[in-house]
Amino acid sequence: MPSVSDRLPTFPWDRLEPYKTTAAGHPDGIVDLSVGTPVDPVPVLVRRALTEAADSPGYPTVWGTQALRDALTGWCERRLGAQDVTDRNVLPVVGSKELVAWLPTQLGLGPGDRVAFPRLAYPTYEVGARLAGADHIAYDDPLELDPAGLALLWLNSPSNPTGQVLPPEKLRAVIAWAREHGVLVVSDECYLELGWETEPVSVLHPEVCGGSYAGLVAVHSLSKRSNLAGYRAAFIAGDSDVLGELLQIRKHGGMMTPAPVQAAAVAALGDDHHVAEQRERYRARRTALRGALEAAGFRIEHSEASLYLWATRDESCWDTVADLAKRGVLVAPGDFYGPAGARHVRVAFTATDERVAAAALRLRE
């Protein structure tokens, strides 16, 4: 049998291991700013909800409990400004990466179909196209794409890795273009609640989508805003026809969010206080790291939102990675996100306050 893994690129993070070893040799230990994984505690109210739902011997449903669907629709209206959201417009998923990787396959895409994503992008957009056997194309401006054969258009605002935010007028133009050409727009908005220098806007906002969710799906995650990466709690919202088809497929595939995680998600979505507290932690870490990087000769580009600083010293990203590893600081090389990132590094500010302070000190030395 042919190997499916042969369709896929080399897993990028494996290439970082030698530099991680170097950084770990620092006398004061490694400061790992490469992967944007949360390190702060899961909010108490979320842990309590998970524990109280621990006695869940039966199978959960793919569509989720009514309580979860109500929490999702309420959050979309409260936080995204979306209007008239029903439970047909929401669907829980088992972490956003799973959804990104398998969406082209679940949409029935294959050879002859094209999937488009930003020139600098989360690598899993390309992986999803490859798993489905579809063609893929990276764009600088989606409005310049040839619509022939284009079935799925990924947007990512705020961007991973750059932190760039697309303004509402750009989102409106892209949606109008996609609708004209019958292209499904899927907007990865997992960092939407982490805007620093601007306020990101969802494709589901009425001023962007015109009050219609036709041809639109937004992807959201609780991993960053609620420190729930370990829970694998995420959801999609938008076009009820698209979500209804995905629901039927996912039922057959048994893609169910565990019942205790559903209960935890309800608690997390219903509370904005813990999100505000976490934002302030990240804001302080971002300020410390940005100042230290700039003092060390780096230029910060975009980075107006998300959990990363997109930094460059106008040299090969791997030279930067190697130099910082000698100081015990591990960062992600920009070319993980496409060849256009070859002279940048992505610096996460998801380490603890103590580790961020250590990194800032080493960068200033």
Side-chain angles (χ1 to χ4, degrees), residues 102-111 113 132 134 151 245-246 249:
W102 291 108
L103 183 60
T105 297
Q106 292 175 9
L107 291 173
L109 305 189
D113 296 313
E245 175 68 6
L246 291 173
I249 294 165

Side-chain angles (χ1 to χ4, degrees), residues 18-27 29 318-331 362 365:
Y19 302 93
K20 186 174 184 178
T21 299
T22 298
H26 190 279
W318 288 100
D319 288 345
T320 304
V321 168
D323 177 63
L324 294 182
K326 293 175 184 176
R327 306 190 205 188
V329 178
L330 189 67
V331 298
R362 295 175 197 182
E365 289 176 346

Side-chain angles (χ1 to χ4, degrees), residues 32-363:
D32 192 343
L33 307 178
S34 62
V35 181
T37 186
V39 297
D40 298 301
V42 172
V44 171
L45 82 163
V46 177
R47 282 183 276 164
R48 184 182 302 120
L50 183 83
T51 301
E52 291 175 352
D55 186 14
S56 298
Y59 290 112
T61 64
V62 173
W63 198 16
T65 62
Q66 187 63 56
L68 177 56
R69 298 197 300 272
D70 289 345
L72 294 174
T73 57
W75 184 87
C76 287
E77 293 187 345
R78 187 178 80 253
R79 300 297 289 153
L80 304 184
Q83 297 177 350
D84 302 319
V85 184
T86 75
D87 55 8
R88 298 286 174 181
N89 300 115
V90 294
L91 180 64
V93 296
V94 191
S96 58
K97 185 170 186 175
E98 169 262 305
L99 183 279
V100 172
W102 291 108
L103 183 60
T105 297
Q106 292 175 9
L107 291 173
L109 305 189
D113 296 313
R114 292 195 302 151
V115 175
F117 45 80
R119 182 80 58 191
L120 283 165
Y122 184 44
T124 312
Y125 304 139
E126 178 180 339
V127 167
R130 288 177 176 270
L131 284 170
D135 297 327
H136 57 86
I137 181 171
Y139 64 77
D140 293 309
D141 183 347
L143 296 177
E144 297 176 357
L145 286 166
D146 180 354
L150 184 60
L152 171 59
L153 172 62
W154 282 104
L155 300 179
N156 182 207
S157 176
S159 164
N160 174 16
T162 70
Q164 184 176 18
V165 173
L166 297 176
E169 57 270 21
K170 183 67 173 184
L171 294 173
R172 281 196 297 270
V174 172
I175 289 170
W177 178 89
R179 284 173 170 167
E180 177 184 354
H181 296 289
V183 178
L184 177 65
V185 173
V186 183
S187 180
D188 182 346
E189 302 175 352
C190 288
Y191 297 94
L192 186 133
E193 292 191 278
L194 296 166
W196 310 113
E197 298 169 10
T198 190
E199 192 64 33
V201 178
S202 172
V203 295
L204 303 185
H205 193 286
E207 293 183 3
V208 173
C209 69
S212 169
Y213 304 135
L216 297 178
V217 175
V219 182
H220 285 275
S221 169
L222 279 66
S223 293
K224 315 299 185 184
R225 47 105 62 197
S226 299
N227 299 333
L228 297 188
Y231 283 47
R232 311 314 301 137
F235 66 95
I236 51 178
D239 190 319
S240 58
D241 289 338
V242 175
L243 268 59
E245 175 68 6
L246 291 173
L247 173 59
Q248 296 307 314
I249 294 165
R250 294 172 69 84
K251 283 181 179 179
H252 282 289
M255 294 179 170
M256 302 173 284
T257 303
V261 174
Q262 292 189 33
V266 171
L269 290 163
D271 178 70
D272 295 333
H273 179 70
H274 77 274
V275 180
E277 287 186 337
Q278 189 60 43
R279 275 178 55 88
E280 291 311 305
R281 294 186 191 104
Y282 285 140
R283 185 189 301 277
R285 294 165 186 169
R286 177 181 185 271
T287 298
L289 284 172
R290 179 166 193 152
L293 286 164
E294 290 175 336
F298 285 88
R299 183 174 70 254
I300 307 299
E301 297 182 355
H302 298 302
S303 306
E304 56 258 32
S306 83
L307 289 178
Y308 313 106
L309 294 167
W310 188 238
T312 182
R313 286 192 306 202
D314 296 311
E315 64 184 5
S316 163
C317 61
W318 288 100
D319 288 345
T320 304
V321 168
D323 177 63
L324 294 182
K326 293 175 184 176
R327 306 190 205 188
V329 178
L330 189 67
V331 298
D335 67 3
F336 277 10
Y337 309 94
R343 299 180 72 80
H344 290 73
V345 293
R346 193 194 74 170
V347 184
F349 40 92
T350 52
T352 64
D353 291 345
E354 184 274 330
R355 288 289 83 188
V356 166
L361 180 63
R362 295 175 197 182
L363 286 165

Side-chain angles (χ1 to χ4, degrees), residues 1-12 14 102 126-127 130-133:
M1 294 179 63
S3 172
V4 175
S5 64
D6 288 344
R7 302 179 194 170
L8 306 180
T10 301
F11 188 63
D14 291 344
W102 291 108
E126 178 180 339
V127 167
R130 288 177 176 270
L131 284 170

